[in-house]
Amino acid sequence: MPIRRYLPLVAVFLAAVPATASAQSGATATLETAGTHAFEGGLVALAGEPVHATARAANALPGSTLTLTFVQGGRTVRTVSQPVSGTGEVTSSLTRPAGLLTIRARVTPPASSSQSTGGSQVGTATPAASGPASSSATARVSVVVPESGIGSRGLRVRFLQRRLADLGFAIRHTGVHDTHTSNAVIAHRKVLGMARTGIASAAEYRAAAAGRGA
């Protein structure tokens, strides 16, 4: 099972999200994710598996907006917004290819106020220095390809090696899929009742990430 944490509140069902927040207005945005795994001080997800995110607002002024945004490769791939007053929640999920996925939750206060000019109402922006500030929380998820074989290296291999070690298999944490890693993969696949090969498939990655096959 993925290690579960949650900032700034405690949650028992969603994975940890390292988050930064600003709450000068008293409003607070928080962000939770599921389908992610805490690893090396960050979050990892498997390509082809859904990543779930929940943005919440607390103490939001009437007319505020709560927005949940997914960004990958410098491109916004999904945005979900809704008006909030006091508390509110926005939830969404998506499946992405490998790459860095940034998820943001933001509470934006009312953007304008009205003043009377010659009998008509004119919208004026609230000055940033005196008006309420927005509040945001951010999670960065490294989405990795869930497959490796001899010669593969990098984060996806380190993740697999750590998960297999956690399951009790003798394995070196080299970040390179070598013969020693292949032997551990074969042993893990044997426990899972899978074909005995040194190539780690997506199904084996999912099992290791979920803590199956100890």
Side-chain angles (χ1 to χ4, degrees):
M1 297 291 292
I3 298 173
R4 295 185 171 94
R5 298 173 298 171
Y6 170 51
L7 295 177
L9 301 176
V10 177
V12 297
F13 61 98
L14 294 175
V17 176
T20 58
S22 169
Q24 297 176 15
S25 67
T28 303
T30 57
L31 177 64
E32 303 171 5
T33 69
T36 59
H37 310 273
F39 184 68
E40 295 184 349
L43 295 173
V44 170
L46 305 181
E49 294 291 298
V51 173
H52 309 276
T54 299
R56 289 193 175 91
N59 303 319
L61 295 173
S64 297
T65 302
L66 175 61
T67 303
L68 178 62
T69 306
F70 297 82
V71 178
Q72 190 176 38
R75 183 173 67 90
T76 298
V77 294
R78 177 170 298 173
T79 299
V80 183
S81 296
Q82 71 176 34
V84 292
S85 177
T87 60
E89 177 180 302
V90 173
T91 300
S92 188
S93 62
L94 77 173
T95 302
R96 298 301 301 167
L100 178 63
L101 176 65
T102 301
I103 308 171
R104 297 190 183 98
R106 180 180 293 274
V107 180
T108 305
S112 64
S113 59
S114 295
Q115 64 181 16
S116 178
T117 304
S120 62
Q121 297 294 314
V122 180
T124 59
T126 302
S130 60
S134 62
S135 172
S136 63
T138 302
R140 292 175 175 84
V141 183
S142 296
V143 183
V144 300
V145 175
E147 182 178 317
S148 67
I150 291 291
S152 298
R153 61 183 63 233
L155 179 60
R156 60 175 168 161
V157 177
R158 297 197 306 274
F159 179 77
L160 177 65
Q161 290 171 337
R162 170 51 60 189
R163 286 296 181 264
L164 291 180
D166 290 345
L167 290 171
F169 295 93
I171 191 168
R172 301 183 182 121
H173 305 291
T174 61
V176 178
H177 192 127
D178 50 17
T179 300
H180 198 265
T181 300
S182 287
N183 290 337
V185 168
I186 291 171
H188 183 228
R189 292 175 66 88
K190 178 181 177 181
V191 173
L192 293 170
M194 302 172 69
R196 300 180 191 182
T197 173
I199 298 175
S201 64
E204 185 185 359
Y205 261 85
R206 289 193 295 269
R212 299 196 304 270

